């Protein structure tokens, strides 16, 4: 096989994917909620960035308790978002524009409205139907089977039928009570999900992002957890639900399914574990990629970036899969705010984005990151995130509808005219951060991203960058973070207080202009080609 063909075969290793959160991207039908029609109409915008594809978070039928992560039909389209015909049109249009499409699969739990869960509740204790989920007896009708806590707050168990005097069983839900967990120790669940994968792969979908990939299989016998702290940090403090060895069998089977298609379909996991444990999910016969999850939590701290980068590099060397970088997604505080807020936070978010686009591996851009949108302080009465309503933090601030126009009309161009109010309100200054504002400003982050992605393509063509490059990380005096990708290319980020001298070479792009002395100013990143 030619070098080009084999690289094409492994396109995901170096792909840049744009994450679309459909309810906040573009509203086509005017109900105030983004949808597939809106996404289809705005697809040329995404293609104009120069990314390789999009990941679309759930649009399948769902009561929307967790904004679609409570799925009641894995192989459909919720009327809120459109029709299957519109999805087919979207897929065809994306492919015509050279964009791959990845969808979300949510295998840890479904909606309590899923027909199989409803049937299980109705069938009662001892039935085969209940074995698809974790139904258990507690010591009594008031005490759950174990001490596990829900990620969204409160206990992880609810009574199947609280009003019944004879059915005293409880069911497990690591998230909200409307999201019952599947029992992955029952082979019927694996068979069911193979059907789901095949349904979307048969349609031509290029890959799937796997929700809560590390938590599908629970410890045998569902023993108590050592800690009962409410976990809002990805189940890490409950070792009984996280990273069980048997979960790897699930991904071996899925990899076989993905590899049976041509071109091979891609699996990218939300593996919220330490880098060394997460890397084990990308062994050669498991997931193709796992998000460098530690990065979405990082603050503006050179030592921390270098430490996480080095850990991820160890994982890459051991298992061969390059990291998949992401600084933002719909669950975490926007990087402009996480990095300090205000003008400085925005500069740092811009630098951080340029940096990850140069790092070895794949990268994900969350919608609005190319506009350096900050986290919005959504008014209390407008917040809808179940994490918030159950007592945790609110993730609504990263999910406010995207501003398309400078003028505030129609929710800053998010909706068509005459539309209902958007599902989350936008702040007054949203127009100055809009796509239109960025398009009009030649120095905007949007233009920087387009230029960087174009340059990235050229550097791959010239083989300066290779899909399987590694990364050697260090922090130089003055807080300069450096990741040497190979002997021709490095990424540098000025994370200290002053301007710093860059390693020798040509700066091919930087997020802020160099000083008159040729130094990289604070809060800026640069790509350096070495002689
Ligand atoms: C991770 C998803 O990204 C998040 O939005 C969701 O609430 C949980 N998984 C549960 O599905």
């Amino acid at each position: 096989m030619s070098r080009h063909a084999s690289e094409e075969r492994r396109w995901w290793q170096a792909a840049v994917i744009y994450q679309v959160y459909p309810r906040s991207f573009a509203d086509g039908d005017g109900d105030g909620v983004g949808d597939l029609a809106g996404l289809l109409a705005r697809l040329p915008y995404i293609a104009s960035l120069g990314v390789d594809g999009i990941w679309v978070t759930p649009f399948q039928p769902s009561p929307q308790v967790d904004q679609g992560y409570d799925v009641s039909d894995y192989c459909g389209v919720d009327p809120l978002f459109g029709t299957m015909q519109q999805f087919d049109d979207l897929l065809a249009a994306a492919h015509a524009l050279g964009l791959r499409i990845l969808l979300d699969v949510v295998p840890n739990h479904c909606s309590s409205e899923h027909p199989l869960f409803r049937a299980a509740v109705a069938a009662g204790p001892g039935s085969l139907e209940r074995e698809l989920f974790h139904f258990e007896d507690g010591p009594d009708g008031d005490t759950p089977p174990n001490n596990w806590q829900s990620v969204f707050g409160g206990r992880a168990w609810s009574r199947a039928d609280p009003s019944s005097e004879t059915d005293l069983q409880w069911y497990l839900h690591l998230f909200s009570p409307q999201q019952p967990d599947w029992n992955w120790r029952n082979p019927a669940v694996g068979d069911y999900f193979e059907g789901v994968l095949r349904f979307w792969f048969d349609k031509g979908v290029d890959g799937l992002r796997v929700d809560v990939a590390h938590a599908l299989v629970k410890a045998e016998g569902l023993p108590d957890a050592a800690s009962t702290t409410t976990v809002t940090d990805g189940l890490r403090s409950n070792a009984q639900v996280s990273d069980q060895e048997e979960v790897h069998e699930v991904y071996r089977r899925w990899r076989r399914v993905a590899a049976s298609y041509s071109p091979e379909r891609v699996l990218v996991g939300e593996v919220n574990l330490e880098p060394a444990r997460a890397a084990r999910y990308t062994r050669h016969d498991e997931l193709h990629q796992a998000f460098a999850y530690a990065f979405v939590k990082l603050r503006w701290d050179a030592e921390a970036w270098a430490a996480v980068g080095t850990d991820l590099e160890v994982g890459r060397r051991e298992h061969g899969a390059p990291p998949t970088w992401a600084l933002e997604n719909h669950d975490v505080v926007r990087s402009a705010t996480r990095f300090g807020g205000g003008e400085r936070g925005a500069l740092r978010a811009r630098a951080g984005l340029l940096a990850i686009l140069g790092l070895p591996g794949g990268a994900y851009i969350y919608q609005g990151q190319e506009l350096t949108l900050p986290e919005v302080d959504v008014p209390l009465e407008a917040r809808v995130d179940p994490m918030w309503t159950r007592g945790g933090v609110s993730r609504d601030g990263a999910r406010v509808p995207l501003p398309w126009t400078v003028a505030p009309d129609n929710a800053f161009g998010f909706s068509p005219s005459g539309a209902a109010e958007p599902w989350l309100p936008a702040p007054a200054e949203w127009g100055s951060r809009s796509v239109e504002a960025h398009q009009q400003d030649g120095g905007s982050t949007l233009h920087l991203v387009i230029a960087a992605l174009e340059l990235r393509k050229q550097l791959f063509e010239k083989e300066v960058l290779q899909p399987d490059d590694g990364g050697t990380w260090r922090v130089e005096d003055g807080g300069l973070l450096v990741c040497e990708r190979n002997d021709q290319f490095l990424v540098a980020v000025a994370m200290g207080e002053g301007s710093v001298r860059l390693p020798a070479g040509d700066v091919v792009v930087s997020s802020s202009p160099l000083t008159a002395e040729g130094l990289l100013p604070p809060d800026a990143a640069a790509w350096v080609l070495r002689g």
Side-chain angles (χ1 to χ4, degrees):
M1 193 179 314
S2 72
R3 181 190 177 91
H4 182 74
S6 85
E7 273 170 16
E8 175 60 21
R9 221 166 42 85
R10 293 182 300 135
W11 60 269
W12 59 85
Q13 285 199 331
V16 178
I17 305 287
Y18 186 84
Q19 182 195 343
V20 174
Y21 192 69
R23 57 166 49 237
S24 302
F25 188 67
D27 171 18
D29 65 6
D31 64 357
V33 179
D35 46 37
L36 297 182
L39 172 53
L40 178 64
R42 300 286 190 181
L43 218 43
Y45 166 74
I46 301 178
S48 76
L49 299 175
V51 295
D52 301 289
I54 58 177
W55 153 34
V56 191
T57 61
F59 53 77
Q60 289 78 3
S62 158
Q64 301 295 322
V65 169
D66 188 17
Q67 321 306 354
Y69 283 95
D70 47 322
V71 179
S72 54
D73 173 3
Y74 286 88
C75 300
V77 174
D78 196 303
L80 181 67
F81 295 111
T83 63
M84 191 57 89
Q85 184 57 52
Q86 284 175 319
F87 175 74
D88 291 338
D89 294 346
L90 176 73
L91 186 62
H95 284 168
L97 287 166
L99 295 170
R100 324 246 180 186
I101 290 209
L102 277 66
L103 304 185
D104 229 298
V105 62
V106 188
N108 180 69
H109 47 269
C110 59
S111 159
S112 50
E113 294 301 310
H114 192 290
L116 290 174
F117 184 75
R118 292 180 65 122
V121 172
S127 60
L128 276 179
E129 286 88 339
R130 287 210 171 176
E131 288 177 17
L132 290 172
F133 301 91
H134 292 286
F135 282 90
E136 298 287 333
D137 297 320
D140 56 59
D142 296 323
T143 316
N146 70 22
N147 68 357
W148 295 0
Q149 298 291 298
S150 148
V151 177
F152 288 167
R155 56 195 182 188
W157 295 93
S158 292
R159 281 273 306 279
D161 181 355
S163 61
S164 171
E165 309 230 320
T166 49
D167 178 357
L168 298 180
Q169 285 204 307
W170 301 73
Y171 67 91
L172 175 69
H173 52 84
L174 294 184
F175 294 88
S176 75
Q178 294 84 1
Q179 292 167 292
D181 281 42
W182 292 98
N183 173 13
W184 276 89
R185 291 190 183 273
N186 181 345
V189 171
D191 294 344
Y192 174 76
F193 272 93
E194 179 165 337
V196 173
L197 261 59
R198 289 190 183 281
F199 175 82
W200 293 107
F201 290 164
D202 285 346
K203 274 192 172 290
V205 164
D206 301 280
L208 295 170
R209 175 264 191 190
V210 186
D211 190 59
V212 211
H214 53 294
L216 271 47
V217 180
K218 280 72 183 175
E220 195 86 69
L222 312 179
D224 274 347
S227 153
T228 56
T229 341
T230 298
V231 188
T232 50
D233 190 23
L235 313 168
R236 279 193 220 193
S237 71
N238 185 352
Q240 314 295 2
V241 301
S242 197
D243 204 22
Q244 300 294 306
E245 208 47 40
E246 295 90 334
V247 77
H248 295 280
E249 275 315 311
V250 175
Y251 302 126
R252 293 199 177 99
R253 177 174 184 179
W254 287 19
R255 180 69 176 247
R256 288 194 295 275
V257 174
S260 71
Y261 285 81
S262 178
E264 179 164 346
R265 308 305 199 241
V266 171
L267 300 165
V268 51
E270 184 205 22
V271 185
N272 187 354
L273 296 172
E274 302 306 323
R277 296 301 295 178
R280 298 175 73 247
Y281 288 70
T282 56
R283 288 178 286 197
H284 71 99
D285 57 350
E286 300 189 40
L287 301 175
H288 300 78
Q289 296 184 319
F291 287 110
Y293 209 87
F295 254 69
V296 295
K297 309 260 172 68
L298 286 182
R299 302 199 175 256
W300 194 250
D301 175 343
E303 297 292 345
W305 282 53
V308 173
T310 304
D311 285 349
L312 289 163
E313 175 60 13
V314 172
R316 184 194 69 81
R317 285 209 198 122
E318 219 167 307
H319 305 300
T324 303
W325 308 100
L327 282 173
E328 292 190 15
N329 63 38
H330 61 289
D331 293 332
V332 296
V333 175
R334 290 268 192 193
S335 59
T337 304
R338 216 166 70 228
F339 293 161
E343 281 309 305
R344 214 157 169 201
L347 265 184
R348 291 171 171 179
R350 171 184 165 102
L353 180 52
L354 179 65
I356 65 164
L357 296 178
L359 295 179
Y364 279 70
I365 303 174
Y366 176 46
Q367 65 183 42
Q369 200 180 344
E370 76 280 20
L371 311 174
T372 56
L373 292 183
E375 186 81 359
V376 176
D377 187 14
V378 175
L380 298 189
E381 65 283 4
R383 296 182 184 181
V384 292
D385 180 14
M387 187 124 121
W388 165 259
T389 49
R390 291 181 65 79
V393 296
S394 161
R395 298 170 296 179
D396 296 301
R399 300 174 176 180
V400 171
L402 214 63
W404 290 92
T405 56
V406 174
D409 312 61
N410 311 314
F412 299 98
F414 169 71
S415 290
S417 62
E421 288 296 309
W423 73 282
L424 282 177
E429 83 282 1
W430 225 216
S432 65
R433 307 183 185 280
S434 63
V435 170
E436 187 185 19
H438 275 251
Q439 281 169 337
Q440 287 166 357
D441 171 5
S444 68
T445 301
L446 175 62
H447 284 292
L448 174 70
V449 169
I450 294 171
L453 289 176
E454 176 57 32
L455 183 57
R456 179 180 164 107
K457 278 202 183 84
Q458 290 166 10
L459 293 172
F460 270 109
E461 269 158 24
K462 291 187 193 143
E463 298 186 5
V464 171
L465 302 183
Q466 310 273 357
D468 49 7
D469 282 332
T472 310
W473 296 77
R474 63 172 187 271
V475 180
E476 295 190 351
D477 286 351
L480 183 71
L481 174 79
V482 176
C483 174
E484 277 188 45
R485 188 173 168 139
N486 55 41
D487 56 10
Q488 296 184 74
F489 184 89
L490 63 81
V491 171
V493 192
M495 291 183 142
E497 287 303 316
S499 301
V500 273
R501 186 159 302 287
L502 286 162
D506 292 333
V507 174
V508 283
V509 61
S510 61
S511 63
S512 303
L514 300 189
T515 66
E517 299 77 38
L519 305 179
L520 186 65
D523 308 320
W527 294 3
V528 180
L529 261 188
R530 313 166 80 200

